Amino acid sequence: MRTVVDPIGIDAAAFSATAVQAERSVETTRLRESLGGRALAIGVDRLDYSKGLVNRFEAFGRLLKKYPQHRSRSVFLQIAARSREDSGNYQSLRRELDRIVGDTNGRYSEFDWVPLRYMTSTIRRQILAGFYRISRLGIVTPLRDGMNLVAKEFVAAQDPADPGVLILSRFAGAAEELTEALINQSIRRRRDRGRRA
């Protein structure tokens, strides 16, 4: 047996071409129209504790509370495909996310705007490419993860003339390569504050 280093990536040119084509798809058109001119932030993950979804949803709620000027100006779409549904831990995670989404939307929604859209169904990669293309913000903030190819797909899907911004956890493997992303340091700061207390 021998160990081999084999970096994982995507075919960026092919995914970019897919995103350009998917931008005109029925699904992407429907999503764009539903936004009403608002900016789209997107997260795409498996429904898994390691993805940091609870932290992400809570952070979005804190943003709306602390900076009310952002209300009604953006929509956060989180796609979290179900995994290991028969596990009690994952059922608990799903209930917790449902609760946070309900609380956030109940507190901040307006008659023509819901801040947080959350779905647990799987979306085909070709459709996701179009969703990434029209997003102004990609959010990939796992607590601990491997390469996380979603970050690379988001970047590849962007319009080079007017790209969106990627927020990336320093705990995602892609953080070592995608150094121009905004690297999220908040988890470390929270731990540091705990040590000083």
Side-chain angles (χ1 to χ4, degrees):
M1 182 186 336
R2 63 185 188 135
T3 303
V4 177
V5 175
D6 188 13
I8 298 173
I10 64 168
D11 183 339
F15 195 80
S16 178
T18 299
V20 169
Q21 186 174 12
E23 185 178 11
R24 297 185 298 274
S25 71
V26 171
E27 296 86 358
T28 303
T29 300
R30 284 177 53 202
L31 176 57
R32 184 188 291 110
E33 289 172 355
S34 77
L35 296 171
R38 296 176 177 93
L40 176 64
I42 192 167
V44 178
D45 303 90
R46 278 181 299 104
L47 188 61
D48 186 298
Y49 275 105
S50 70
K51 303 301 182 180
L53 298 175
V54 169
N55 306 63
R56 192 179 303 173
F57 285 8
E58 288 176 341
F60 186 65
R62 284 193 302 273
L63 170 78
L64 297 176
K65 180 179 180 180
K66 190 169 181 179
Y67 301 100
Q69 66 270 27
H70 291 292
R71 296 180 198 168
S72 198
R73 294 181 62 192
S74 62
V75 173
F76 177 23
L77 169 61
Q78 176 65 55
I79 300 168
R82 290 178 289 236
S83 64
R84 304 179 202 154
E85 289 186 80
D86 36 346
S87 163
N89 287 340
Y90 288 88
Q91 291 172 8
S92 175
L93 171 62
R94 188 166 177 191
R95 282 192 301 272
E96 177 70 0
L97 294 173
D98 288 347
R99 183 193 64 75
I100 296 169
V101 170
D103 288 351
T104 301
N105 286 341
R107 183 172 291 122
Y108 299 111
S109 290
E110 298 175 11
F111 68 87
D112 63 344
W113 171 69
V114 176
L116 184 50
R117 299 180 187 182
Y118 164 58
M119 53 190 297
T120 58
S121 50
T122 303
I123 304 288
R124 286 192 339 250
R125 192 167 180 254
Q126 290 79 6
I127 295 172
L128 283 175
F131 290 3
Y132 293 144
R133 180 88 174 174
I134 67 169
S135 296
R136 301 305 302 154
L137 189 64
I139 303 175
V140 182
T141 54
L143 301 178
R144 185 70 66 187
D145 207 358
M147 179 50 64
N148 206 308
L149 299 180
V150 167
K152 293 186 174 189
E153 289 176 345
F154 177 82
V155 171
Q158 295 305 297
D159 179 350
D162 186 23
V165 175
L166 175 64
I167 295 179
L168 191 56
S169 167
R170 68 187 183 101
F171 296 112
E176 290 187 24
E177 295 179 1
L178 302 179
T179 56
E180 292 187 32
L182 297 179
I183 306 296
N184 179 316
Q185 301 287 335
S186 64
I187 295 170
R188 184 182 65 190
R189 288 189 191 119
R190 209 163 30 246
R191 286 181 183 154
D192 290 346
R193 279 199 299 268
R195 279 194 216 108
R196 286 195 297 264

